[in-house]
């Protein structure tokens, strides 16, 4: 049996591609092993508040003298970190908003990335080390290598840095681009590519869920 933490952050409950990819992943996860389980968190429908106090970036023993973060905020942070650490695999629906993360997803990151708790600082703690993190990236336009906008996506690099380098997770990026090709006239000539990328992303999501859902279940058996 293996446990998945599934996050969504798209503000579009109807047409979201990252939400659809997440559903494909979750379905294949449960099929991979009938005893696999899922915790689902919709960061748009039920947003995590902004970090209440900068001192929450640290465990209590490293906080500046005299800092007293609100107990309620600290309890929420503990809940979010416990929820993450309980997971064998993390899947994150990650729409590109203003070349960056949706603010709802960033608020979650601000709570769970805590030096000396989830990332190394003065102690080598990395409870998520070696676990898989799957980023389901959906982007209205395209940012192809060799084009002038190649490095305009600041979401996937930031998530990879935090979940991969800081938390030590193994990152898989599944991407669907040109999602606006069916609504924005200027992108319409690229509709075939958009559809092909989406279909490939669904296949990749199902494959990753089957692989991680089987191997993580075997590892925890
Ligand atoms: C607030 C907002 C900002 C956006 N900013 C960008 C952007 O910077 N670059 C881009 O390619 N698409 C941008 N888009 C389009 C989304 O990336 C695109 O619609 C994507 O499919 C959203 O993911 P979803 O389908 O999972 O909702 C933006 C959409 C919204 C709602």
């Amino acid at each position: 049996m293996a446990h998945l933490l599934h996050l969504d952050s798209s503000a579009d409950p109807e047409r979201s591609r990252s939400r659809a990819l997440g559903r494909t992943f979750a379905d294949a996860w449960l099929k991979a092993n009938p005893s696999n389980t899922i915790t689902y968190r919709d960061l748009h429908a039920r947003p995590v508040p902004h970090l209440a106090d900068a001192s929450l970036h640290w465990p209590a023993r490293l906080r500046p003298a005299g800092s007293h973060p609100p107990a309620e905020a600290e309890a929420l942070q503990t809940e979010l970190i416990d929820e993450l650490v309980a997971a064998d695999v993390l899947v994150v629906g990650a729409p590109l908003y203003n070349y960056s993360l949706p603010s709802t997803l960033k608020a979650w990151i601000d709570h769970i990335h805590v030096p000396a708790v989830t990332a190394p600082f003065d102690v080598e703690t990395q409870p998520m080390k070696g676990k898989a993190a799957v980023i389901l990236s959906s982007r209205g336009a395209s940012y192809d290598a060799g084009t002038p906008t190649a490095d305009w996506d600041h979401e996937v690099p930031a998530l990879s840095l935090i979940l991969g380098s800081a938390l030590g997770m193994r990152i898989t990026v599944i991407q669907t681009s040109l999602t606006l090709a069916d609504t924005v006239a200027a992108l319409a000539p690229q509709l075939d590519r958009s559809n092909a990328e989406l279909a490939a992303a669904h296949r990749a999501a199902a494959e990753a869920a089957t692989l991680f859902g089987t191997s993580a279940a075997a590892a925890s058996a």
Side-chain angles (χ1 to χ4, degrees):
M1 171 221 156
H3 186 60
L4 173 70
L5 175 59
H6 175 189
L7 304 178
D8 264 328
S9 61
S10 169
D12 183 347
E14 306 282 323
R15 294 165 34 90
S16 165
R17 307 244 172 135
S18 59
R19 286 177 183 274
L21 291 171
R23 286 193 293 273
T24 293
F25 190 100
D27 288 348
W29 174 264
L30 295 176
K31 247 187 224 153
N33 186 322
S35 56
N36 282 351
T37 51
I38 301 177
T39 293
Y40 177 68
R41 193 174 271 275
D42 187 333
L43 296 168
H44 174 71
R46 206 159 59 90
V48 167
H50 288 148
L51 203 64
D53 191 289
S55 64
L56 289 171
H57 188 54
W58 302 102
R61 69 183 174 82
L62 294 173
R63 284 179 197 151
S67 59
H68 300 289
E72 207 177 289
E74 199 168 9
L76 171 65
Q77 181 177 46
T78 301
E79 178 189 335
L80 295 174
I81 290 174
D82 288 351
E83 192 172 271
L84 174 65
V85 171
D88 299 298
V89 172
L90 170 70
V91 65
V92 185
L96 184 65
Y97 282 180
N98 295 306
Y99 309 109
S100 186
L101 285 75
S103 54
T104 50
L105 179 54
K106 179 60 165 52
W108 179 83
I109 291 282
D110 287 344
H111 281 83
I112 62 90
H113 178 205
V114 182
V117 175
T118 54
F121 187 64
D122 57 350
V123 286
E124 284 302 316
T125 180
Q126 240 177 356
M128 299 308 288
K129 186 175 181 159
K131 296 183 181 180
V134 180
I135 299 169
L136 303 174
S137 155
S138 53
R139 318 186 295 186
S142 60
Y143 302 89
D144 297 335
T147 68
T149 61
D151 58 358
W152 286 22
D153 179 341
H154 295 278
E155 176 170 36
V156 170
L159 286 176
S160 302
L161 184 59
I162 295 156
L163 298 174
S165 303
L167 270 63
M169 302 185 77
R170 290 181 293 123
I171 304 292
T172 299
V173 178
I174 295 174
Q175 203 145 56
T176 184
S177 298
L178 290 164
T179 66
L180 294 176
D182 58 358
T183 48
V184 173
L187 297 176
Q190 305 198 67
L191 188 56
D192 285 351
R193 176 180 158 192
S194 166
N195 289 336
E197 274 197 34
L198 181 60
H202 276 286
R203 284 194 299 274
E207 280 167 21
T210 304
L211 174 69
F212 297 138
T214 312
S215 54
S220 64

